[in-house]
């Protein structure tokens, strides 16, 4: 299935829908999840149009992949949770529980995140 540019994160990237921005650079946008599952729940998305982790690794340039990963660390710094820890998670496809078909990493922090998988 090709990338659907009507997904909600594509709309956020185009500025059609607001978000509570945490961090932005040339490659990524990070914002608070609208329905936080932990005290801190932030999403990091690439600005390029990739539907999931697999699509990103297949089609993104090496620079985009490196910059995306480095940017996640920048977001962690902004959140100031390096010392206390955090969890990064990405859902892929229907078995993975992915709802929005634009690659995103969830960052959970601010309290014990709990069981790895429920
Ligand atoms: P996933 O199930 O991994 O696709 O996660 C999608 C996440 O996007 C969920 O945690 C939603 O709460 C979140 N979400 C959906 N719409 C918005 C929005 N407009 N702004 C921020 N987060 C959103």
């Amino acid at each position: 299935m090709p990338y659907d540019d009507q997904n909600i994160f594509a709309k956020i990237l185009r500025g059609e829908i607001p978000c509570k921005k945490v961090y932005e650079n040339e490659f990524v946008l990070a914002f608070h999840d609208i329905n936080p599952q932990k005290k801190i729940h932030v999403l990091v998305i690439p600005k390029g149009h990739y539907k999931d982790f697999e699509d990103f690794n297949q089609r993104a340039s090496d620079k985009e992949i490196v910059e995306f990963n480095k940017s996640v660390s920048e977001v962690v710094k902004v959140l100031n949770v390096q010392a206390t820890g955090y969890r990064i998670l990405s859902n892929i496809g229907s078995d993975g529980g992915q709802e929005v078909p634009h690659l995103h990493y969830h960052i959970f922090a601010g309290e014990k995140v709990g069981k790895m998988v429920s």
Side-chain angles (χ1 to χ4, degrees), residues 8-9 12 17-20 31-37 41 43 89-92 96-102 104 106:
I8 199 127
F9 294 168
I12 286 175
I17 290 179
C19 71
K20 281 174 64 185
F31 52 91
H32 290 281
D33 195 290
I34 204 166
N35 182 24
Q37 302 299 307
H41 183 174
L43 303 171
L89 179 147
S90 191
N91 296 319
I92 297 130
Q98 183 177 8
E99 290 169 6
V100 180
H102 182 113
H104 49 284
H106 298 255

Side-chain angles (χ1 to χ4, degrees), residues 46-100:
K47 290 193 170 173
H49 285 179
Y50 304 103
K51 62 183 182 181
D52 59 22
F53 179 79
E54 198 55 43
D55 188 29
F56 187 59
N57 283 330
Q58 283 179 18
R59 296 196 299 109
S61 65
D62 289 356
K63 179 148 180 83
E64 284 175 288
I65 292 170
V66 168
E67 294 297 334
F68 183 74
N69 278 287
K70 285 178 182 269
S71 299
V72 172
S73 289
E74 291 303 313
V75 176
V76 166
K77 268 191 222 159
V78 170
L79 296 172
N80 196 24
V81 295
Q82 308 99 308
T84 43
Y86 55 93
R87 180 172 297 163
I88 296 172
L89 179 147
S90 191
N91 296 319
I92 297 130
S94 63
D95 279 1
Q98 183 177 8
E99 290 169 6
V100 180

